[in-house]
Amino acid sequence: MRRRELLALTAKAGAGAGLQVGLPRWIPGRAKPTKAVEPAYTGADSLRAHATARGLLAGCAVDVAGLKTDEDYAGLVKDQANIIVGESAMKWDRLRPTIDSYEFGEADELIAFAEANKMRVRGHTLCWHRQLPKWFAAEANEKNARELLAEHIKHVAGRYAGRMHSWDVVNEAVSVEDGRPDGLRDSPWLRLVGEGYIEAAFHAARAADAQALLTLNEFGIEGEDRASEKKRAAVLALLRRMKARDVPVDAVGVQSHLNGVGQVFGAGLQGFREQMRELGLQVLITEMDVNDRELAGDEGMRDKVVAEVYRRYLDAMLKDANVTAVVTWGITDRRTWLNGENQRADELRERCLPFDAESRPVGAFFAMRDSVDKRTKTEGYSRGLPTARLRWRERFAR
Ligand code: XIL
């Protein structure tokens, strides 16, 4: 019996007996489960091994400081990921202490960790409206913003050229609610540079790094609700305009911050993937997690519902060979942004990731691995990529 099933049973028994739900690990009076009943999830049984065997990239966002101080966390990432991305290490507020200087400490450490462990790295992000440095509001203006952006991309993407799997060149460029006919977000970059900032960013990125997959990364485009539908249409229109103008875009990042309730994945999402394929763009799942804030507190139940969302979403997405990577936004509930933003009203810890706060795999992990297992070998990231972008396989395959 899987630990989760056992836990669910335990929770039920506990609830019936008026005990605190979710705490006992075994039903008192019954034999304690031995290690042998726990499904294996490390090494050859890890998500990493299963994904690698099927030519798929699978991994997580990491907190670089945590990798240095928390051995258990670093070990989990090494074991489970063949691709990582800095949760913040490559954002403007980390890289740019002042308008005319760079600080690459954490970003360099991120790349070093990935390379030492034969992982690929995503870069996140060269242009975003959030996590801009404090000086930005006072010092960036209509005169210097275009140059500031181009210089930043030249330095940052140039520094790691040839070593990155992909770059989120522009993050969250679309916001239908902002009311512009072109669907673009009313961001500082748009206000200072004009709508040409997106293509300027992609051209600068291509000039700096000929190999990384240049990605437009976006959230809120996964569901079948009206808002997702509208946003997908705006993202598609933007990508078509970019393609028509020969802007070097290679992939779309679907962030995949999903919700525990009310999420349906269907024809709209499938249609979007088909449109991406027609445009010659890969699809990357870049920031997956499932927010459980609208679910009641019972841990076993939350895990079950969250796992089902993982399963339904990844079954739908990963059956498409053009979806070439699945990255979760964190790996253990011990470290998730959802405990600080969009957190639960009852302040219980979120259970949104494949491993719980004690680094034990939960239903979401097994759901992910099962979906990955449905991929057949030779499908996946290698399709259609220029040989230069395949070189890493020789260097990094394990
Ligand atoms: C989040 C980080 O996880 C937080 O630590 C930080 O405080 C705010 O940003 N979409 C993105 C990510 O593209 O960069 C965000 O990351 C989560 C939403």
Side-chain angles (χ1 to χ4, degrees):
M1 184 183 284
R2 287 188 171 176
R3 180 196 277 274
R4 281 294 118 198
E5 289 163 4
L6 192 79
L7 269 179
L9 273 183
T10 308
K12 264 194 210 152
L19 298 172
Q20 200 176 352
V21 167
L23 278 183
R25 298 265 169 76
W26 70 93
I27 301 167
R30 297 240 181 118
K32 189 174 173 179
T34 61
K35 277 255 180 279
V37 296
E38 186 169 78
Y41 62 91
T42 61
D45 300 301
S46 65
L47 187 64
R48 174 179 188 159
H50 282 232
T52 303
R54 287 157 187 84
L56 184 71
L57 292 168
C60 59
V62 297
D63 165 11
V64 176
L67 290 178
K68 289 188 289 186
T69 53
D70 182 344
E71 251 178 68
D72 168 80
Y73 169 60
L76 189 64
V77 173
K78 286 182 204 173
D79 193 34
Q80 298 294 340
N82 63 19
I83 187 165
I84 55 173
V85 57
E87 190 170 337
S88 286
M90 291 187 164
K91 290 175 178 171
W92 273 70
D93 64 354
R94 300 289 171 98
L95 295 178
R96 302 301 299 273
T98 64
I99 193 164
D100 46 21
S101 65
Y102 290 82
E103 166 55 61
F104 285 113
E106 275 206 352
D108 285 354
E109 283 167 6
L110 171 77
I111 309 272
F113 180 87
E115 291 183 349
N117 294 294
K118 301 188 179 211
M119 297 160 168
R120 301 245 62 201
V121 199
R122 306 200 66 244
H124 175 84
T125 168
L126 296 170
C127 180
W128 192 27
H129 63 285
R130 289 182 60 190
Q131 287 187 269
L132 287 165
K134 287 212 175 68
W135 54 260
F136 189 89
E139 293 180 58
N141 54 49
E142 283 174 16
K143 278 198 198 118
N144 66 9
R146 178 177 277 270
E147 183 64 12
L148 192 59
L149 180 62
E151 274 299 304
H152 179 85
I153 293 175
K154 184 174 164 190
H155 267 84
V156 177
R159 183 179 182 87
Y160 304 114
R163 299 160 81 186
M164 306 300 288
H165 161 264
S166 50
W167 266 110
D168 289 334
V169 179
V170 180
N171 193 28
E172 304 179 349
V174 169
S175 177
V176 176
E177 309 87 84
D178 290 2
R180 291 173 51 101
D182 60 8
L184 294 185
R185 176 185 296 278
D186 179 24
S187 84
W189 292 113
L190 182 95
R191 288 195 292 272
L192 297 178
V193 181
E195 63 193 40
Y197 86 90
I198 298 175
E199 60 180 80
F202 276 84
H203 283 297
R206 181 50 83 230
D209 185 338
Q211 292 183 27
L213 293 172
L214 303 186
T215 305
L216 183 84
N217 199 41
E218 197 49 82
F219 72 96
I221 52 174
E222 299 85 5
E224 294 299 311
D225 52 289
R226 190 83 189 104
S228 282
E229 214 173 276
K230 277 194 188 159
K231 195 159 180 181
R232 272 195 297 266
V235 171
L236 173 65
L238 170 60
L239 287 165
R240 283 190 173 146
R241 293 198 297 276
M242 290 168 73
K243 278 289 186 183
R245 291 174 58 82
D246 280 329
V247 177
V249 53
D250 303 306
V252 62
V254 181
Q255 288 189 7
S256 314
H257 292 293
L258 306 177
N259 223 292
V261 295
Q263 288 249 235
V264 178
F265 312 112
L269 182 63
Q270 183 175 340
F272 183 75
R273 287 200 315 270
E274 281 159 15
Q275 288 151 347
M276 295 304 108
R277 188 188 288 276
E278 279 160 24
L279 285 173
L281 300 172
Q282 290 190 38
V283 176
L284 314 173
I285 297 170
T286 51
E287 307 188 11
M288 186 167 183
D289 51 24
V290 176
N291 196 329
D292 71 11
R293 67 196 296 251
E294 286 164 56
L295 300 169
D298 177 81
E299 285 191 357
M301 191 51 76
R302 280 196 275 156
D303 285 357
K304 209 170 145 215
V305 174
V306 166
E308 270 319 298
V309 179
Y310 271 87
R311 187 179 298 279
R312 283 192 292 113
Y313 183 65
L314 293 180
D315 277 357
M317 292 290 277
L318 296 183
K319 73 175 183 221
D320 182 343
N322 195 41
V323 178
T324 55
V326 49
V327 175
T328 48
W329 205 242
I331 188 165
T332 143
D333 297 329
R334 190 157 80 245
R335 299 169 179 276
T336 163
W337 73 304
L338 293 179
N339 286 326
E341 264 185 66
N342 307 317
Q343 68 271 45
R344 298 177 58 89
D346 59 13
E347 289 178 13
L348 287 176
R349 198 197 289 272
E350 276 269 353
R351 297 177 75 82
C352 52
L353 288 167
F355 290 85
D356 70 9
E358 282 76 43
S359 302
R360 291 175 305 214
V362 293
F365 169 84
F366 297 103
M368 287 184 83
R369 204 180 59 180
D370 289 349
S371 289
V372 165
D373 285 349
K374 291 178 190 160
R375 293 275 281 219
T376 43
K377 204 178 162 75
T378 73
E379 281 180 341
Y381 60 80
S382 59
R383 286 176 69 260
L385 280 183
T387 37
R389 293 182 205 159
L390 286 177
R391 251 182 248 139
W392 78 272
R393 291 186 75 187
E394 286 131 47
R395 277 168 62 203
F396 293 113
R398 71 167 201 181

